[in-house]
Amino acid sequence: MKIYDLIIVGAGPAGMTAAVYAARKRLEFLIISRDIGGQLSWSGDVENYTGYQFITGPELTLKFEEHIRRFKVNMHMPETVKELIQEGKSIKAVSDKSEYICRTVIVASGKRPRPLNVKGEKEFRNKGVTYCATCDGPLFADKPVAIIGGGNSALDAALQMVKISPKVHIVNNAQNFTADAIMVDKLKESPVAQIWNNATVQKIYGDNFVRGIELEKDKKRYDLKVEGVFIEIGLIANTDGLDILKKNEDSEIIVDCHNRTNVAGIFAAGDVSNVPEKQVIVACGEGAKATLAAFRYLSTHTF
């Protein structure tokens, strides 16, 4: 079986940046990922990535992909790594399609949307319930919608929808938003946005498609007639099956300042790690650091 110098798990900003550095270091490596872009490909407007005063998430994803394609990177996609097994000085990566042997691994598998876990959510998934305004927002043009959440991802979705929807309800279970102040200010300027703070969704209902949600606020029940529900209440780290790695209470992989995990030869980068501030630019920097650390590890160990 072929032995790779490095396997990169994930092709979001961290994984793609790690790949650029690995290609420049002339490492024999492979990317295994379920998609390209990860959360970035779902994002709307990106206004804080250095070098671009404004760019959308899908556009920036394409820029990253064009960059790594220049190096003719070996990519296995769609494919998901299910387990990492330490075998002597080597590591076996077990995916849903095959098995691979390598000397180092960078886990950059990112995160996935957190479910709301209310009645009707599963029944109406892809029938009005969605987790990606960038992907599905245009399907709800000219229709009333609800955005569930109060962080940056929720307000990003809301700011996309106020441009095309006649009514956008933002349901936040806290007193105040946790999103950036500039996003909150922009939302409050919209005449079609209605903010429901201190409110919780009780159920999602409809027929063949979503027709509304019931929510509770100040011990009162409200019925909102909507045809789309965008659930934006946070993310879950994609660390299922990676049981040899130490994780924190949020299932994020614990790393040191060199991106090293508790297992020699395995590194982690981006939102899947416990590094604070989940931002595209931070993930890119962490991806670069992880490859440099892996290269140093390969240079100072015998196999």
Short mmCIF file of all heavy atoms in Angstrom, two decimals, residues 13-14 40 43 46 48-49 60 64 271 278-285:
data_model
loop_
_atom_site.label_atom_id
_atom_site.label_comp_id
_atom_site.label_asym_id
_atom_site.label_seq_id
_atom_site.Cartn_x
_atom_site.Cartn_y
_atom_site.Cartn_z
N PRO A 13 -11.24 26.33 4.10
CA PRO A 13 -10.12 27.27 4.08
C PRO A 13 -8.84 26.72 4.73
O PRO A 13 -7.75 26.89 4.19
CB PRO A 13 -10.65 28.47 4.86
CG PRO A 13 -12.12 28.44 4.59
CD PRO A 13 -12.48 26.98 4.58
N ALA A 14 -8.97 26.03 5.87
CA ALA A 14 -7.79 25.47 6.53
C ALA A 14 -7.17 24.36 5.69
O ALA A 14 -5.95 24.32 5.48
CB ALA A 14 -8.17 24.94 7.92
N LEU A 40 -17.46 27.96 4.24
CA LEU A 40 -17.25 29.14 3.41
C LEU A 40 -18.16 29.13 2.19
O LEU A 40 -18.66 30.17 1.78
CB LEU A 40 -15.78 29.20 2.96
CG LEU A 40 -15.40 30.35 2.03
CD1 LEU A 40 -15.65 31.70 2.70
CD2 LEU A 40 -13.94 30.23 1.60
N SER A 43 -21.44 30.68 2.93
CA SER A 43 -21.46 32.05 3.45
C SER A 43 -21.94 33.03 2.39
O SER A 43 -21.78 32.81 1.18
CB SER A 43 -20.07 32.46 3.92
OG SER A 43 -19.63 31.60 4.96
N VAL A 46 -18.57 38.30 2.38
CA VAL A 46 -17.34 38.26 3.18
C VAL A 46 -16.65 39.60 3.03
O VAL A 46 -16.20 39.96 1.95
CB VAL A 46 -16.40 37.12 2.73
CG1 VAL A 46 -15.12 37.13 3.55
CG2 VAL A 46 -17.10 35.77 2.84
N ASN A 48 -14.30 40.79 5.49
CA ASN A 48 -13.18 40.90 6.42
C ASN A 48 -12.03 39.97 6.05
O ASN A 48 -11.23 39.60 6.91
CB ASN A 48 -13.64 40.64 7.85
CG ASN A 48 -14.30 39.27 8.00
OD1 ASN A 48 -14.48 38.54 7.04
ND2 ASN A 48 -14.66 38.92 9.23
N TYR A 49 -11.93 39.61 4.76
CA TYR A 49 -10.81 38.78 4.32
C TYR A 49 -9.82 39.69 3.60
O TYR A 49 -10.15 40.31 2.59
CB TYR A 49 -11.27 37.65 3.40
CG TYR A 49 -10.18 36.64 3.12
CD1 TYR A 49 -9.91 35.63 4.05
CD2 TYR A 49 -9.39 36.73 1.99
CE1 TYR A 49 -8.89 34.72 3.83
CE2 TYR A 49 -8.37 35.82 1.76
CZ TYR A 49 -8.12 34.82 2.68
OH TYR A 49 -7.10 33.93 2.46
N LEU A 60 -15.03 33.25 -3.02
CA LEU A 60 -13.75 33.04 -2.36
C LEU A 60 -13.37 31.56 -2.39
O LEU A 60 -12.20 31.19 -2.56
CB LEU A 60 -13.80 33.56 -0.92
CG LEU A 60 -12.47 33.60 -0.16
CD1 LEU A 60 -11.41 34.37 -0.93
CD2 LEU A 60 -12.67 34.21 1.23
N PHE A 64 -9.91 29.87 -3.88
CA PHE A 64 -9.08 28.88 -3.18
C PHE A 64 -8.91 27.63 -4.04
O PHE A 64 -7.81 27.08 -4.16
CB PHE A 64 -9.72 28.50 -1.84
CG PHE A 64 -9.63 29.56 -0.78
CD1 PHE A 64 -10.31 29.41 0.42
CD2 PHE A 64 -8.87 30.69 -0.95
CE1 PHE A 64 -10.23 30.37 1.42
CE2 PHE A 64 -8.77 31.66 0.04
CZ PHE A 64 -9.46 31.50 1.22
N ASP A 271 -11.75 25.36 12.13
CA ASP A 271 -12.86 25.35 13.08
C ASP A 271 -13.01 24.04 13.83
O ASP A 271 -13.66 24.00 14.88
CB ASP A 271 -14.17 25.65 12.34
CG ASP A 271 -14.29 27.12 11.95
OD1 ASP A 271 -13.29 27.84 12.07
OD2 ASP A 271 -15.38 27.54 11.52
N LYS A 278 -13.54 31.67 15.18
CA LYS A 278 -13.82 30.86 13.99
C LYS A 278 -14.05 31.80 12.81
O LYS A 278 -15.17 32.21 12.52
CB LYS A 278 -15.03 29.96 14.22
CG LYS A 278 -15.00 29.17 15.54
CD LYS A 278 -13.76 28.29 15.67
CE LYS A 278 -13.87 27.41 16.91
NZ LYS A 278 -12.68 26.61 17.14
N GLN A 279 -12.98 32.15 12.15
CA GLN A 279 -13.01 33.07 11.03
C GLN A 279 -12.23 32.45 9.86
O GLN A 279 -11.29 31.67 10.07
CB GLN A 279 -12.36 34.41 11.40
CG GLN A 279 -13.05 35.14 12.54
CD GLN A 279 -14.35 35.77 12.11
OE1 GLN A 279 -14.44 36.37 11.06
NE2 GLN A 279 -15.38 35.64 12.95
N VAL A 280 -12.59 32.82 8.63
CA VAL A 280 -11.91 32.28 7.45
C VAL A 280 -10.42 32.58 7.51
O VAL A 280 -9.58 31.70 7.28
CB VAL A 280 -12.52 32.87 6.16
CG1 VAL A 280 -11.72 32.41 4.94
CG2 VAL A 280 -13.96 32.46 6.01
N ILE A 281 -10.07 33.81 7.83
CA ILE A 281 -8.67 34.20 7.82
C ILE A 281 -7.87 33.48 8.90
O ILE A 281 -6.69 33.15 8.72
CB ILE A 281 -8.53 35.74 7.94
CG1 ILE A 281 -7.14 36.18 7.47
CG2 ILE A 281 -8.84 36.22 9.35
CD1 ILE A 281 -7.04 37.67 7.18
N VAL A 282 -8.51 33.20 10.02
CA VAL A 282 -7.85 32.44 11.09
C VAL A 282 -7.64 31.00 10.64
O VAL A 282 -6.56 30.42 10.83
CB VAL A 282 -8.68 32.49 12.39
CG1 VAL A 282 -8.07 31.58 13.46
CG2 VAL A 282 -8.76 33.92 12.92
N ALA A 283 -8.65 30.40 10.03
CA ALA A 283 -8.53 29.03 9.54
C ALA A 283 -7.41 28.89 8.52
O ALA A 283 -6.66 27.91 8.54
CB ALA A 283 -9.86 28.58 8.93
N CYS A 284 -7.28 29.87 7.63
CA CYS A 284 -6.21 29.82 6.64
C CYS A 284 -4.84 29.85 7.31
O CYS A 284 -3.95 29.07 6.96
CB CYS A 284 -6.33 30.99 5.68
SG CYS A 284 -7.74 30.87 4.55
N GLY A 285 -4.68 30.74 8.28
CA GLY A 285 -3.41 30.81 9.00
C GLY A 285 -3.10 29.52 9.73
O GLY A 285 -1.94 29.05 9.72
#
